[in-house]
Amino acid sequence: MAALRRLIAGNWKMNGLTADGLALASDLAARAASAPPDCDLLVCPPATLVAAVGAVLAGGAVALGGQDCAAAEKGAYTGDISAEMLRDAGCTHVIVGHSERRGACGETDEIVRTKVEAAWRAGLVAILCVGETRAEREAGLAQTVVTAQLSGSLPDGADAARLVVAYEPVWAIGTGLIPTLADIEEIHRAIRAGIPGGTRILYGGSVNPKNAAEILGLVEVDGALVGGASLKAEDFWAIAAACG
Ligand code: PGA
């Protein structure tokens, strides 16, 4: 079992209108109040729901995060949301460098690094995502790619209190496929060598109630970043319960 207190983070992605988001948040808040699991909990709703979900979660054990932030603090960046705005809306965390943004939005390591800096400037914990593609894994390059992404995306001055790293193989996201447990451990060990001691490393990519216990049982895994299964309170809760 991991030495650090684990974090189970839900990435809702672009899902949920007000009624769904508030129902899901209320359900999680009620579960956390009556039977808190043996881990930290975080949900990252779409930006439109951050403030409303934050109001539902306020004072409880489920923390609030954004899914991305701009590098700049404010200004002429139509459509963007700054880390300061997320903080103002009640967030304590923000995901940066998710593969869906690295891929679809062309975010390079350098851009991701400026976003981590922005998160820290605003007082947020940055959840920095890294992960290889299927072709990279098949070419035997997974560890090389992941460690290069990490060193390219991580600013100087990292410390465990404001950094979480999420290892998310691109080919495992939303596919139902996961690496072998040995492969997860190997990549997590390589990541750990490049970050400050005490920094949590989450695994992400097709985590569900069935595979959560074996993944979260790995010594190198300090939690999970959960996409699809975080949209159902019961499934998210089952994953959190696997920590206990
Ligand atoms: P998934 O997504 O759990 O649906 O595979 C994980 C993620 O993209 O963070």
Side-chain angles (χ1 to χ4, degrees):
M1 200 209 277
L4 304 173
R5 182 168 167 83
R6 282 164 292 179
L7 168 65
I8 304 299
N11 174 9
W12 294 2
K13 307 192 179 181
M14 197 173 74
N15 292 294
L17 303 180
T18 308
D20 314 312
L22 295 188
L24 178 53
S26 307
D27 192 330
L28 295 176
R31 288 171 193 258
S34 67
D38 191 17
C39 61
D40 292 334
L41 295 165
L42 170 72
V43 293
C44 302
T48 49
L49 297 185
V50 162
V53 166
V56 171
L57 300 178
V62 184
L64 182 70
Q67 297 177 10
D68 176 46
C69 67
E73 183 182 342
K74 60 183 173 181
Y77 301 93
T78 302
D80 279 355
I81 295 169
S82 71
E84 283 76 4
M85 289 169 174
L86 291 173
R87 173 83 194 220
D88 183 52
C91 292
T92 51
H93 294 65
V94 62
I95 298 168
V96 287
H98 190 281
S99 63
E100 286 155 14
R101 298 207 59 86
R102 288 180 185 265
C105 307
E107 292 190 7
T108 60
D109 287 342
E110 196 179 334
I111 291 172
V112 175
R113 194 173 68 237
T114 62
K115 292 185 172 199
V116 176
E117 283 167 349
W120 292 349
R121 182 188 66 220
L124 299 177
V125 176
I127 302 178
L128 170 58
C129 301
V130 291
E132 82 286 356
T133 62
R134 168 166 289 289
E136 288 162 347
R137 169 146 301 264
E138 284 172 355
L141 295 172
Q143 191 169 315
T144 309
V145 167
V146 166
T147 52
Q149 277 180 351
L150 182 67
S151 60
S153 315
L154 188 61
D156 292 339
D159 67 71
R162 55 187 188 159
L163 176 68
V164 173
V165 177
Y167 168 52
E168 297 206 302
V170 178
W171 54 273
I173 294 177
T175 59
L177 303 171
I178 59 166
T180 65
L181 299 180
D183 285 344
I184 294 174
E185 292 231 281
E186 184 186 25
I187 298 286
H188 279 224
R189 265 195 300 272
I191 291 171
R192 206 173 293 285
I195 54 179
T199 302
R200 290 188 282 196
I201 306 174
L202 313 184
Y203 168 78
S206 294
V207 177
N208 61 42
K210 288 199 178 113
N211 61 25
E214 60 178 8
I215 294 171
L216 291 166
L218 296 172
V219 175
E220 288 293 334
V221 174
D222 307 309
L225 182 53
V226 185
S230 73
L231 296 172
K232 280 196 198 144
E234 207 173 308
D235 287 358
F236 189 64
W237 210 256
I239 293 167
C243 289

